[in-house]
Amino acid sequence: MSWHVTYIDLIRRQLEDDSDPATTQLLGCGVEKLGSLRSVVCQLTAEGGTSSRQSCEGLEALIDVSYEWMSCNSGQYCWRRLFTDACILRALAGLDAHSATSAIELLDRAIIIAGAAGEGRLDLILSLIAKIQSEYLSSSKFEFTPKPRPFSSEPEDLRLSSALRTISSLDDPPSFVTFQTRYFRQPFILRNYAKDWPAINEHPWSSAAYLRAIAGPGRIVPVEVGEDYRTDDWSQKLMSWDVFLSSLDLDGQPLTDQKDVLYLAQHNLFTQFPELKGDIIVPDYVYACLPAPPDYPDYQPPRNDEQLVLNGWLGPQGTISPAHTDPYYNIFVQVVGRKSVWLAPPTVLKEMYPYAAQKSENPAMNTTNPSMSNTSQVDVFSDEDKDRNRHPDFWARAVPQAICATLCSGDLLFLPPGWWHAMRAEETSFSVSMWF
């Protein structure tokens, strides 16, 4: 019995056990859907792992229907679980050298779209991806060549007509106690805080070779197409990690002629590529028990086990996150490149001219179009006079309270919940946000 048939049989035995929590979870999709999944996995086992047309079509139908239900039901767990298992089984069905790349793509879809729902499923998927890469595809290796990386203690001077003051920079990192009793109320910057991170040194995220090596061949990621998600030409798609990296100005590769602006934004890249998490040092500050700020009384920490959400942001010069708010405390670290930051307090809500609440029409993905009700119509990086006429309250009452700065590689920005913030990449930029 080949190794991939062993995995298929393992899933079959789990699905046939009515007392297994995994089976109970799938019952939420209906007895018929569970029966279809059981029937297909039994057929695959009987076929010895080879894929008949009937078994493949059965799995693809389950993938399609679970995706549709996820899109309509806000990612209801049972459908995410069905999508995950159907993708795993379809990836393993008839696996060989010709189907290896498409199998890895299916496994990545289970992570990106469904969050690899199910106990142990993420570890299973990551191990399957590594095994398929090792057996069927050739992987590149990364050799580290030390390079001196200068760090400046002087902040870069950013001047915007939409912000009259700069973000405060602390001379030294505050102690844990001082942070949770004094410094959590206002934004601040710690210059060069992350200068010793592996992501800036021995495992440089500025290196295309390193980013390819830690992922291995065949991987896909969700990207935004377009500079600004408020525009009509903005869209999202899943694309090859290798192709996406080729569109960026990174060390060790020529820059390709890429017409579209591609941006990997607010994606839990560390779930897909766990090696990257070892390249950062999560500050102790994220584990502080902080109260709800007076101007944001609805604050609650993330509802996962760690009460922590890590996201990666990777894109070219010119990508913009328009002014918007988030419901969490945020520690934002600039790893590669420079990024301009504009901030304003929660009290200027009306002056920010937020869009009316509307439901996103984008499919269920890990990186989804934010609710536009938390996004400003104002382009805070524009100096155009016509914008002053369209949004007079912004220029009269928000601008005097706004602050700005440029983040360089190694800089940390702390941001309380509810603060309006906009960011613009001044060059190829790789950042990490930590919601807590």
Side-chain angles (χ1 to χ4, degrees), residues 276-288:
L276 288 178
K277 192 171 181 181
D279 296 339
I280 67 174
I281 302 171
V282 176
D284 290 341
Y285 303 136
V286 304
Y287 302 110

Side-chain angles (χ1 to χ4, degrees), residues 4 35 51 93 95 114 151 204 214 223 264 278 283 343 397 407 420:
H4 59 277
S51 55
L95 179 64
F151 288 91
I214 57 96
V223 299
L264 187 147
L343 308 177
R397 292 190 283 275
L407 299 179
W420 292 90

Side-chain angles (χ1 to χ4, degrees), residues 36 48 56 64 70 107 113 124 147 155 171 208-209 231 280 296-297 305-306 320 351 391 407 427:
S36 297
C56 288
D64 290 341
M70 282 191 296
L107 295 170
I113 297 174
L124 172 61
K147 292 182 179 179
D171 293 334
T231 59
I280 67 174
Y296 199 84
D305 291 340
E306 286 188 285
I320 292 175
E351 291 79 8
H391 308 115
L407 299 179
E427 55 199 359

Side-chain angles (χ1 to χ4, degrees), residues 123-357:
D123 290 339
L124 172 61
I125 289 172
L126 292 174
S127 66
L128 287 175
I129 289 174
K131 198 163 185 63
I132 293 169
Q133 289 173 332
S134 173
E135 184 153 334
Y136 297 111
L137 303 172
S138 110
S139 298
S140 59
K141 294 185 178 180
F142 173 73
E143 295 183 1
F144 173 60
T145 303
K147 292 182 179 179
R149 303 186 74 80
F151 288 91
S152 172
S153 58
E154 294 297 324
E156 293 203 358
D157 187 22
L158 175 64
R159 296 183 182 277
L160 295 174
S161 60
S162 59
L164 302 185
R165 296 175 294 125
T166 59
I167 304 171
S168 297
S169 292
L170 304 184
D171 293 334
D172 297 297
S175 70
F176 186 83
V177 173
T178 303
F179 169 71
Q180 67 178 352
T181 57
R182 179 182 172 189
Y183 282 108
F184 71 92
R185 295 181 180 89
Q186 296 290 324
F188 63 78
I189 292 174
L190 295 175
R191 298 287 178 184
N192 295 332
Y193 177 89
K195 66 179 181 180
D196 296 324
W197 278 13
I200 295 176
N201 296 287
E202 63 268 27
H203 294 162
W205 289 6
S206 60
S207 164
Y210 176 70
L211 295 178
R212 286 191 172 91
I214 57 96
R219 307 302 298 272
I220 61 171
V221 291
V223 299
E224 299 179 357
V225 183
E227 293 183 2
D228 186 334
Y229 64 71
R230 298 171 299 180
T231 59
D232 293 336
D233 60 353
W234 181 90
S235 63
Q236 293 175 302
K237 66 178 180 180
L238 296 173
M239 71 179 300
S240 160
W241 176 241
D242 285 342
V243 172
F244 171 63
L245 291 178
S246 296
S247 72
L248 301 174
D249 185 11
L250 293 168
D251 293 345
Q253 70 173 14
L255 184 61
T256 61
D257 183 17
Q258 173 63 47
K259 295 181 180 178
D260 293 326
V261 175
L262 305 175
Y263 189 21
L264 187 147
Q266 196 176 314
H267 175 51
N268 190 346
L269 201 58
F270 307 99
T271 299
Q272 273 193 278
F273 309 142
E275 292 87 347
L276 288 178
K277 192 171 181 181
D279 296 339
I280 67 174
I281 302 171
V282 176
D284 290 341
Y285 303 136
V286 304
Y287 302 110
C289 294
L290 300 179
D295 49 11
Y296 199 84
D298 295 331
Y299 162 74
Q300 290 184 342
R303 295 182 178 179
N304 58 8
D305 291 340
E306 286 188 285
Q307 295 189 328
L308 175 65
V309 175
L310 302 178
N311 281 316
W313 308 74
L314 173 59
Q317 179 183 14
T319 49
I320 292 175
S321 294
H324 66 283
T325 63
D326 292 319
Y328 306 113
Y329 286 102
N330 185 5
I331 284 180
F332 186 92
V333 178
Q334 188 65 19
V335 180
V336 176
R338 295 175 299 117
K339 189 165 272 189
S340 296
V341 180
W342 180 97
L343 308 177
T347 51
V348 298
L349 171 61
K350 293 181 180 179
E351 291 79 8
M352 293 303 298
Y353 296 86
Y355 288 89

Side-chain angles (χ1 to χ4, degrees), residues 67 70 75 80 83 108-116 238 364-366:
Y67 180 81
M70 282 191 296
R80 293 197 293 116
F83 185 91
D108 265 333
R109 284 177 179 269
I111 298 174
I112 296 165
I113 297 174
L238 296 173
M365 295 175 65
N366 217 22

